[in-house]
Amino acid sequence: MATVPKRLGVKFSLIREPQLQPLDIVPIFQRWIQQHTVDGMLIDVIDYKHVPNGPGIVLIADEADFAYDLGDGQIGLHYIRKRSLPGDLPSALRQCFFYALQAARALEAEAPGDIAFDFTSAKISFLDRMHYRNEAAKLDEIRAELAGCIADIYGAPTEVTREYDDPRRLFAVRCRAQAADVDVAAMMERLQASMQKA
Amino acid sequence: MSTWKELLSEQIPAEMGNLIDIYEAQMELRKQGKLDEKVFAEARLRKGVYGQRYDNGQRHDGVRTRELAYPSDETVKGPDTLWDAPGMQRIKIPYGGLTAEQLETLSELADEYSDGILHITTRQDIQLHYVHIDDTPDLMRRLAAVGITTQEACGNSVRNITACALAGVCHDEVFDVSPYADAMTQFLLSHDDVQDFGRKFKVAFSGCAGHACGLVKMHDLGLLAQTREINGELQRGFTVYVGGGLGTVPHQAKVLAEFATEEELLPLTQAIARVFARLGEKKNRNRARIKFLVAKLGIDEFRRLVEEELQTLPSDERHSAYIGNLSDFTYKPAKAGMALNGRPLPDGFDDWYRSNVYHQVQAGYSTITLHTPLGDFTSEQGFKLADIARRYVGDNIRLSVEQNIALRWVANADLPAIYRDLCAIGLGDAHAGTIVDITACPGTDTCKLGIASSRGLTAELRARLIEKINLLPDAVRELKIKVSGCFNSCGQHHVADIGFFGNSRRSGNHKMPHFQVVLGGQWQENAGAYGLAVGAVPAKTVPDALEALTERYVAERADDESFQVWVKALGRKEIKAMLQPFMQLPSFEDSPIYFSDWGDSRVYTIDDIGVGECAGEVVSLFSMEIAKAESTHFEALLALDDHDYSLADENAYKAMVLAARALVRTKYLDVGDDYDNIVDEFRSRFYDTELVFDRFAKGKFARYLFKRHGTAPERINEDYAHQIIDETQLFIENVHSAEQRINGVIVS
Ligand code: SF4
């Protein structure tokens, strides 16, 4: 069984660059705090849009960060779970996918038609160099477990590849569902059901 | 291997590792409620672990103040500071010097424990924000493994020692101050004489009098390189400034010594530290910086006391040992110096070359400045920058007090290539050191004391100025802007041509974020003059006010008239009149936008301001020292749990000696670290005099110490370990009670 990393992230990228500017996200995230739009103990919003390819605008919560992320030249919603991760990797992944989807959908609802995510693909980051050095061998070691788990999440077979070659960077994988589109609502329902069961 | 402690045990220097273990044990004691929250707060601050806005569990969300229900519930890491609330980790980078490997480690930590951002401070530190306290011991271990410490990065101690980023490569310097800054860093780190200050103590070195870089005149202790000729030989030394500082009430430092030789540098500093520790204010933190002591005593009396202190200073071979090592401090460029040839140059190169390249005194080499907006860069940039450094300059990286990064020893022929590589990672921005290169403190983004958004304003000003930078006359291009989120001046607004600091005003029933405008400060001549406050303008009109001000300066200045001279000639009254149109306060109903701060859509409030930790709590020296004894006792308990009875004995014994030392140092500061000496002093001062005697048990507990000190145990087993740990506990309690009886209240 693969170790649960100290922190775990899931990022969905936008299909295309939106009209909405990163600065416009600040009031949206501020409102999310007021209205508890996403789950978690939401603390504050921080603006890093001045940093190229950086975390963009970040909604800081106690358990997780929600970033309108500009990293890798791909705008997206990056959910990073920092605390209270479940004790096994499949459960941790399900948890992260669920909250990332919840936030991405909430963001789509803020600017319908303009903000649109590609949910068929996600970047999964393991923020834990003690247990996850960014090496090809690491992916080989956990590929079967990871692919199986992500296939369960998607309800479709998935392809998993390593995201960065640079061994100093975080171990991250790109997963792609072998499907033209995904039914996000069904996916979230499945995730929620399994989270409740756990 | 499953912990960083185990994994890095070989790489971490023993002393650094020990200090981190003590801190980790203190964390555990605090969680169990066994260590006073004020004492722990100061111990934590001295490890650079700082509080952040909203860590009191409250935040105004724009509509109402909401409780932030952190899971830690009642557990606090300091007064009103909840355990689980994210905090800031300050990391000392002495004189800003970094290696490529260190940069990589810092980047890893930003990824794993923070939010992927590294922030450069105005003291050449790196700060990571939104760090959970539970992660800090491992974070420190990973830093220690590459030779970086966070020890005394905050709290009432000697902060990061700064120096010019150009030291060693500058045309104007008298000599390279870097090795001296390095020697002083090592000498003062964890030194007994810097543990009992009422406030922080900031030290800076500068290589010349005329330029800005070192800013010695605004420091508690400023060292300005000088030489003099003695018998035909050039002798190196420093003009020593003392008692400068910004803060609410800025003070220009006074000259304590016109020329202190290399041999005198460290003992003189130690003597200054002793006088400050002994006579500096301890109760009222607002008057506890050394500048107030110097002002109260007068520089002549202060000098006399320092000289007197020097006479009684115990001899220490480290005072002069470093001089023999100065020549080891050399720079290894990655490549041979070479002239820039006439190849086609990349787009944008000329602008960048004009503002970001400094030709070093060493022929064929340049230092280039990487302009990091708001002092921020990402971990990914950090990794790639480490590659660029290795390729072109080796380990010659420095952080600057202007929140930028300097790469030194670039062969001139490589300038186009390095420019291209920097652009590829988003660090090729031109205009370093110009009006767009604005310094800002964290302000309301993360600082508990922030009143207005210094970073929000800075981002706005920067965006507007960049658009027209090429149209600005040189006189405006070269101006310096600095922004602080409150009067505490962490953004150094006093020494900018144009400074701003946050405050607030009321309009109707609403508060409106404002910035006080401070004009005519001097960055040159080591922060040679402080600016004049001329009036507060609403945050939202600052950009327009700035434009009006600079336009008028350009229109009215005489040839080559500096901004400072122009401001002085114009006078406060006239400037205020010029700013008047920007000072109008519209009503909330008419212009709600005025009632939100830059970069923040919430309706503005000052309800989020908390209690700052800049100074830490004023905690007595005894409290800090006895806390070390308690955490060492705790480590003995852990060793007992691990069935490592020898280690349990070793730690228990050490804890007793530390407790005795804590008490001895209330009367005799120079007791040192030698166990025999400590026990002898304890015996004669507290046991023979019966001062440590318990009302009923008399000298029984002290005898536990004498017993263990006199005879090493013959057999160490579980029972023995239990017993000595219990005895240690009783002895520590005994020392506590004795201290209260002898010296009164422990924690002020
Ligand atoms: S100047 Fe004020 S707001 Fe800025 S960091 Fe210092 S205390 Fe905080």
Side-chain angles (χ1 to χ4, degrees):
Chain A
M1 272 264 275
T3 314
V4 178
K6 193 164 164 44
R7 295 182 176 196
L8 185 63
V10 170
K11 176 178 173 178
F12 295 111
S13 296
L14 295 184
I15 291 168
R16 59 181 171 274
E17 192 163 329
Q19 298 287 313
L20 207 70
Q21 293 301 302
L23 183 61
D24 303 324
I25 301 297
V26 173
I28 292 174
F29 279 176
Q30 292 284 13
R31 190 156 27 79
W32 285 14
I33 297 179
Q34 285 168 359
Q35 298 172 356
H36 304 280
T37 307
V38 286
D39 293 336
M41 199 198 80
L42 309 177
I43 301 173
D44 197 22
V45 180
I46 181 119
D47 177 352
Y48 290 127
K49 66 178 182 308
H50 52 278
V51 189
N53 282 315
I57 310 294
V58 190
L59 168 52
I60 307 275
D62 172 57
E63 317 80 357
D65 291 343
F66 302 81
Y68 185 76
D69 183 90
L70 314 176
D72 303 324
Q74 287 183 328
I75 303 177
L77 188 288
H78 195 182
Y79 176 83
I80 297 175
R81 186 81 186 185
K82 302 184 289 190
R83 294 155 58 78
S84 313
L85 277 90
D88 61 284
L89 186 61
S91 302
L93 280 165
R94 281 195 291 270
Q95 183 191 58
C96 286
F97 265 83
F98 177 80
Y99 291 119
L101 286 168
Q102 186 191 50
R105 296 260 291 200
L107 209 50
E108 283 187 333
E110 297 285 349
D114 186 30
I115 296 260
F117 286 95
D118 171 9
F119 289 112
T120 62
S121 167
K123 180 178 89 168
I124 305 170
S125 305
F126 297 71
L127 294 87
D128 181 350
R129 287 181 176 85
M130 163 67 70
H131 299 105
Y132 288 88
R133 304 257 20 142
N134 184 20
E135 291 159 352
K138 189 73 210 179
L139 180 56
D140 293 343
E141 187 188 316
I142 63 164
R143 186 192 300 275
E145 189 179 346
L146 198 58
C149 174
I150 296 166
D152 279 352
I153 290 172
Y154 272 103
T158 52
E159 180 191 71
V160 179
T161 52
R162 196 156 66 104
E163 187 78 344
Y164 308 119
D165 290 333
D166 185 341
R168 294 167 304 181
R169 294 198 62 186
L170 288 168
F171 177 70
V173 297
R174 163 82 37 199
C175 64
R176 276 191 193 80
Q178 309 291 296
D181 204 358
V182 293
D183 180 343
V184 178
M187 199 164 146
M188 286 181 72
E189 254 174 49
R190 263 200 315 278
L191 288 167
Q192 199 161 24
S194 62
M195 280 160 64
Q196 272 161 5
K197 221 161 78 190
Chain B
M1 295 284 181
S2 59
T3 66
W4 287 109
K5 184 173 175 177
E6 290 162 344
L7 191 72
L8 301 174
S9 62
E10 305 281 293
Q11 282 126 280
I12 300 175
E15 206 170 316
M16 274 168 130
N18 183 34
L19 287 171
I20 299 168
D21 291 347
I22 287 180
Y23 164 67
E24 196 170 34
Q26 287 174 328
M27 282 173 59
E28 197 47 47
L29 289 173
R30 173 84 281 274
K31 280 200 253 189
Q32 295 175 11
K34 292 178 183 162
L35 182 58
D36 178 85
E37 61 189 49
K38 286 183 184 170
V39 175
F40 177 71
E42 179 59 18
R44 155 174 75 75
L45 288 166
R46 289 193 194 180
K47 303 299 289 181
V49 181
Y50 211 84
Q52 240 182 244
R53 209 166 174 88
Y54 315 124
D55 62 10
N56 58 356
Q58 288 196 347
R59 178 180 183 273
H60 200 279
D61 68 6
V63 177
R64 65 192 167 91
T65 294
R66 251 178 0 112
E67 187 201 348
L68 299 172
Y70 292 107
S72 51
D73 203 14
E74 302 280 275
T75 312
V76 294
K77 50 188 172 185
D80 238 358
T81 311
L82 296 166
W83 190 267
D84 277 330
M88 178 266 277
Q89 176 69 57
R90 184 173 294 151
I91 299 163
K92 276 171 132 177
I93 310 295
Y95 53 92
L98 273 180
T99 66
E101 185 194 28
Q102 289 173 332
L103 182 57
E104 286 170 339
T105 298
L106 288 162
S107 301
E108 286 188 0
L109 303 180
D111 269 343
E112 289 174 62
Y113 303 122
S114 175
D115 51 11
I117 293 289
L118 298 103
H119 176 74
I120 306 168
T121 74
T122 52
R123 292 206 62 73
Q124 298 174 304
D125 304 281
I126 287 285
Q127 278 178 194
L128 303 179
H129 289 273
Y130 301 102
V131 175
H132 195 287
I133 188 170
D134 288 345
D135 290 333
T136 54
D138 277 349
L139 186 155
M140 289 169 198
R141 290 189 178 103
R142 293 170 74 178
L143 288 170
V146 292
I148 297 178
T149 181
T150 66
Q151 187 70 22
E152 290 155 13
C154 304
N156 301 326
S157 55
V158 179
R159 302 294 182 85
N160 195 36
I161 294 182
T162 58
C164 325
L166 288 176
V169 300
C170 174
H171 287 267
D172 302 311
E173 70 186 2
V174 178
F175 56 81
D176 181 5
V177 295
S178 316
Y180 299 90
D182 191 57
M184 190 175 282
T185 296
Q186 291 179 36
F187 177 69
L188 292 181
L189 190 70
S190 301
H191 194 291
D192 276 349
D193 287 338
V194 304
Q195 305 304 316
D196 194 22
F197 293 163
R199 286 270 337 237
K200 58 191 167 186
F201 190 76
K202 295 180 176 176
V203 184
F205 281 83
S206 192
C208 76
H211 291 229
C213 325
L215 305 171
V216 296
K217 291 182 191 161
M218 51 169 249
H219 277 79
D220 297 297
L221 175 65
L223 291 318
L224 181 65
Q226 303 284 0
T227 50
R228 69 181 177 192
E229 219 178 278
I230 299 275
N231 300 330
E233 292 234 339
L234 209 59
Q235 190 183 33
R236 284 180 171 191
F238 295 88
T239 298
V240 180
Y241 289 87
V242 71
L246 297 181
T248 329
V249 190
H251 282 55
Q252 280 280 345
K254 304 273 182 305
V255 174
L256 181 83
E258 287 292 348
F259 194 95
T261 62
E262 291 172 321
E263 289 78 9
E264 289 163 346
L265 178 67
L266 299 184
L268 185 62
T269 302
Q270 190 180 347
I272 293 168
R274 285 178 160 227
V275 172
F276 178 43
R278 202 175 65 239
L279 300 177
E281 172 65 45
K282 296 273 168 60
K283 291 204 168 65
N284 177 0
R285 57 190 253 173
N286 293 325
R287 300 194 64 79
R289 293 287 291 272
I290 197 171
K291 62 187 177 188
F292 294 106
L293 181 63
V294 172
K296 187 172 108 187
L297 297 173
I299 187 68
D300 293 333
E301 174 62 6
F302 186 82
R303 186 181 297 114
R304 191 190 66 74
L305 289 166
V306 169
E307 279 162 7
E308 203 174 82
E309 192 72 44
L310 268 170
Q311 304 309 315
T312 59
L313 217 54
S315 78
D316 184 340
E317 61 183 26
R318 292 179 303 163
H319 286 158
S320 55
Y322 83 98
I323 299 168
N325 303 329
L326 287 171
S327 56
D328 298 346
F329 199 99
T330 52
Y331 301 107
K332 227 195 276 163
K335 296 194 180 180
M338 240 187 294
L340 177 62
N341 62 34
R343 289 176 296 195
L345 298 168
D347 284 351
F349 179 82
D350 289 342
D351 272 351
W352 176 80
Y353 182 82
R354 185 152 69 109
S355 51
N356 297 44
V357 176
Y358 175 87
H359 286 289
Q360 295 183 189
V361 69
Q362 296 85 3
Y365 288 105
S366 291
T367 289
I368 58 173
T369 302
L370 282 48
H371 171 35
T372 56
L374 299 175
D376 293 342
F377 62 103
T378 64
S379 53
E380 188 192 346
Q381 285 177 315
F383 292 127
K384 290 182 174 161
L385 185 57
D387 290 339
I388 291 174
R390 286 198 179 96
R391 197 174 314 140
Y392 296 103
V393 302
D395 284 332
N396 293 298
I397 309 168
R398 294 249 175 133
L399 308 177
S400 78
V401 296
E402 292 184 273
Q403 301 179 295
N404 287 325
I405 303 170
L407 294 184
R408 298 145 50 102
W409 297 91
V410 181
N412 288 339
D414 283 338
L415 287 169
I418 199 169
Y419 171 66
R420 244 183 250 115
D421 289 352
L422 289 171
C423 286
I425 64 167
L427 287 172
D429 281 1
H431 316 306
T434 70
I435 191 166
V436 303
D437 189 359
I438 304 171
T439 305
C441 77
T444 48
D445 275 16
T446 50
C447 175
K448 298 209 251 189
L449 295 175
I451 299 175
S453 176
S454 42
R455 280 166 62 91
L457 175 65
T458 299
E460 182 64 25
L461 292 177
R462 190 173 172 273
R464 291 196 194 194
L465 288 165
I466 274 184
E467 292 221 325
K468 54 181 184 186
I469 181 80
N470 289 326
L471 305 173
L472 293 176
D474 279 354
V476 174
R477 266 178 65 96
E478 307 308 326
L479 293 178
K480 296 228 177 270
I481 301 180
K482 294 181 184 289
V483 189
S484 302
C486 77
F487 45 77
N488 280 311
S489 350
C490 304
Q492 303 173 339
H493 59 261
H494 293 292
V495 293
D497 296 296
I498 304 170
F500 300 103
F501 72 86
N503 55 20
S504 76
R505 296 280 187 273
R506 192 164 65 86
S507 174
N509 291 328
H510 290 85
K511 292 259 195 257
M512 189 191 287
H514 272 62
F515 281 91
Q516 178 69 236
V517 183
V518 180
L519 297 180
Q522 194 181 14
W523 181 251
Q524 294 298 308
E525 293 182 25
N526 281 287
Y530 298 148
L532 285 179
V534 291
V537 299
K540 287 293 163 78
T541 63
V542 170
D544 295 337
L546 176 68
E547 193 168 314
L549 194 62
T550 51
E551 279 176 3
R552 181 148 173 199
Y553 168 54
V554 172
E556 292 183 358
R557 74 193 279 257
D559 287 348
D560 289 336
E561 189 176 28
S562 74
F563 191 75
Q564 285 89 26
V565 173
W566 178 74
V567 163
K568 220 167 172 184
L570 201 59
R572 204 193 287 249
K573 207 166 144 203
E574 183 59 31
I575 293 171
K576 191 146 190 178
M578 180 189 3
L579 294 177
Q580 206 61 49
F582 305 100
M583 293 175 166
Q584 307 309 314
L585 306 188
S587 70
F588 184 77
E589 292 67 31
D590 288 344
S591 295
I593 190 84
Y594 276 64
F595 295 83
S596 288
D597 210 339
W598 288 111
D600 193 341
S601 56
R602 287 174 296 170
V603 172
Y604 177 74
T605 173
I606 54 165
D607 291 359
D608 289 332
I609 297 172
V611 178
E613 293 192 316
C614 283
E617 292 286 338
V618 179
V619 172
S620 71
L621 179 66
F622 174 79
S623 301
M624 295 304 294
E625 299 235 329
I626 197 76
K628 284 184 202 158
E630 283 166 339
S631 53
T632 307
H633 172 254
F634 185 73
E635 284 190 39
L637 281 166
L638 295 180
L640 179 66
D641 290 347
D642 285 348
H643 308 290
D644 188 343
Y645 307 124
S646 293
L647 185 62
D649 167 62
E650 196 183 304
N651 279 327
Y653 173 35
K654 185 175 169 189
M656 283 199 273
V657 176
L658 285 173
R661 184 177 189 269
L663 196 55
V664 171
R665 289 202 78 220
T666 62
K667 301 289 173 209
Y668 174 40
L669 279 170
D670 291 326
V671 65
D673 296 320
D674 181 72
Y675 279 26
D676 288 339
N677 219 14
I678 293 167
V679 175
D680 285 351
E681 290 292 338
F682 177 77
R683 189 191 295 272
S684 64
R685 287 169 188 269
F686 296 99
Y687 184 81
D688 295 346
T689 56
E690 300 190 2
L691 281 169
V692 76
F693 277 27
D694 179 80
R695 209 167 133 208
F696 304 107
K698 305 293 178 203
K700 178 177 170 186
F701 306 127
R703 286 194 294 276
Y704 293 148
L705 166 70
F706 302 145
K707 181 180 68 179
R708 176 61 185 86
H709 182 67
T711 327
E714 275 171 23
R715 252 178 31 145
I716 298 179
N717 55 22
E718 188 173 358
D719 286 347
Y720 166 80
H722 259 299
Q723 186 187 330
I724 188 164
I725 285 172
D726 288 348
E727 288 174 354
T728 302
Q729 177 67 54
L730 290 166
F731 177 63
I732 290 173
E733 289 306 326
N734 177 220
V735 167
H736 262 297
S737 323
E739 204 276 340
Q740 284 177 46
R741 275 197 314 274
I742 300 163
N743 298 327
V745 179
I746 297 177
V747 180
S748 54

